[in-house]
Amino acid sequence: MPELPALGTRVVVRYSLPAGYSHPVTDVIGTLEGTDPVAVRSADGRVVQIGRDTVVAVRALGPRPIRTSEIRALEVAAAQAWPGLESTWVDGWLARYGSGITGRANSATPLGMPGELAPLTGDTLARLDAWYAERGLPLRLLVPDRLSPGAPGWQPEEEPVVVLAADLDLVPLPTSHTTTVLPEPDASWLSLFDRRGADDDLRALLTATLGRGPRIGELAFVRIGDGPSPLAIARAAVTTAPDGRVWVGLQSVAVAPEHRRRGVGTLVCGEALRWGRERGATHAYLQVTEGNAAARAMYSAMGFTEHHRYRYHRRVR
């Protein structure tokens, strides 16, 4: 049998059919999910199982193109998981305010459906400016790939943020015997979090979601290690995208400096993803800056691949 690529690879598999079919061989295109028998999940979700002795040829393909509607759906799920302290819709733009803590919670992003999303000029821009001015912040835009060109005369910031995604069926989930999963952050968890802003605002931001539906919108604060100084932490949130897909998002992943590059980050992510899968999530996502090579390598080894990117935009003065 031809050599198979790694699980999770998009492939085309040619295999022979039993006697009596009108043609001797056929092909299936999809994601490789098993090797004995060979299992390929096609784009419609159907899994085709193929006997190893019938495989004629296997060819690895590049990543499946991501549709614009899929980018919007994932961004909506991510916004539900990190909505800030206040939010409002302005002509198809979701504006979030989070007391200045993180860019995602303090920016406006174009998540309205086509036909609902207004160009960022005139009255729309003025209303967003006014909403943020009332809260003591300048307007900042978060613009995902292909959803909007942003505002005329605005400048994208240099480093993009890469949104990585994975099918949870294809992600190995290592376990740790010193894991604690909390419904809200305690002092030990917060000791490793990059603390900015007042404690009350920080706790409110970390525990806010906009998820809806049974068991959707749940949160977990995962900690590896006992005692006041954890080895690693992560926040996990389960939300449902407009297309019905249930996602678990990883945020605030941090490893104590003295424990980095020892696999602890993989452990805390694995525990958070397992928690999400137990609550109905089928897919996972996270955001990482393009230049964070160490984190991207770790997530790639876990099975995450690039879904899309976004950039922050600021007004040119």
Side-chain angles (χ1 to χ4, degrees):
M1 189 189 79
E3 183 177 353
L4 295 172
L7 295 181
T9 303
R10 282 190 73 237
V11 294
V12 55
V13 178
R14 173 160 292 188
Y15 60 100
S16 57
L17 295 171
Y21 278 75
S22 60
H23 43 290
V25 297
T26 189
D27 297 334
V28 60
I29 297 174
T31 302
L32 183 65
E33 293 192 353
T35 59
D36 193 11
V38 175
V40 178
R41 185 182 295 274
S42 59
D44 62 4
R46 180 173 56 97
V47 177
V48 178
Q49 293 191 335
I50 307 160
R52 290 173 64 92
D53 58 345
T54 68
V55 175
V56 175
V58 178
R59 180 164 61 90
L61 303 174
R64 179 181 65 82
I66 302 297
R67 297 188 294 269
T68 300
S69 61
E70 293 176 299
I71 295 175
R72 179 179 292 105
L74 177 47
E75 285 292 329
V76 170
Q80 291 175 340
W82 198 257
L85 302 175
E86 299 179 61
S87 64
T88 191
W89 286 92
V90 176
D91 299 336
W93 288 78
L94 176 64
R96 287 175 283 177
Y97 168 74
S99 194
I101 306 170
T102 77
R104 280 175 286 141
N106 294 276
S107 53
T109 187
L111 299 184
M113 296 295 290
E116 300 175 350
L117 185 64
L120 204 49
T121 56
D123 181 60
T124 300
L125 186 59
R127 290 167 62 198
L128 285 170
D129 269 326
W131 193 82
Y132 280 98
E134 289 173 1
R135 290 153 181 82
L137 291 179
L139 172 60
R140 190 184 189 194
L141 307 178
L142 186 163
V143 183
D145 290 342
R146 305 205 301 267
L147 297 192
S148 171
W154 287 52
Q155 180 69 43
E157 297 178 10
E158 290 185 6
E159 187 172 35
V161 176
V162 183
V163 180
L164 303 175
D167 183 333
L168 282 178
D169 286 341
L170 303 177
V171 176
L173 302 179
T175 60
S176 169
H177 297 296
T178 59
T179 301
T180 302
V181 179
L182 305 164
E184 59 183 38
D186 63 2
S188 176
W189 193 97
L190 287 170
S191 70
L192 199 53
F193 184 76
D194 182 11
R195 304 182 71 167
R196 289 163 289 180
D199 280 353
D200 288 347
D201 285 348
L202 180 60
R203 286 180 177 274
L205 177 71
L206 287 168
T207 55
T209 68
L210 293 178
R212 290 180 173 83
R215 306 194 70 171
I216 304 304
E218 293 192 51
L219 288 174
F221 295 85
V222 183
R223 184 181 71 220
I224 300 289
D226 297 323
S229 301
L231 281 64
I233 61 169
R235 176 188 188 266
V238 174
T239 53
T240 302
D243 59 7
R245 181 171 288 183
V246 182
W247 292 88
V248 55
L250 295 182
Q251 302 94 24
S252 308
V253 177
V255 178
E258 64 272 22
H259 295 289
R260 291 173 184 168
R261 295 176 176 82
R262 297 182 181 178
V264 181
T266 300
L267 285 177
V268 76
C269 290
E271 294 287 2
L273 296 177
R274 178 179 291 101
W275 172 89
R277 187 167 65 179
E278 290 171 351
R279 281 150 183 80
T282 57
H283 291 74
Y285 71 88
L286 53 89
Q287 299 104 336
V288 60
T289 54
E290 183 184 46
N292 191 342
R296 293 184 66 185
M298 181 184 77
Y299 297 132
S300 176
M302 293 182 66
F304 283 85
T305 59
E306 183 171 330
H307 190 275
H308 65 279
R309 297 182 174 207
Y310 64 78
R311 286 180 180 268
Y312 291 104
H313 291 217
R314 293 185 183 274
R315 182 181 274 110
V316 177
R317 299 193 181 278

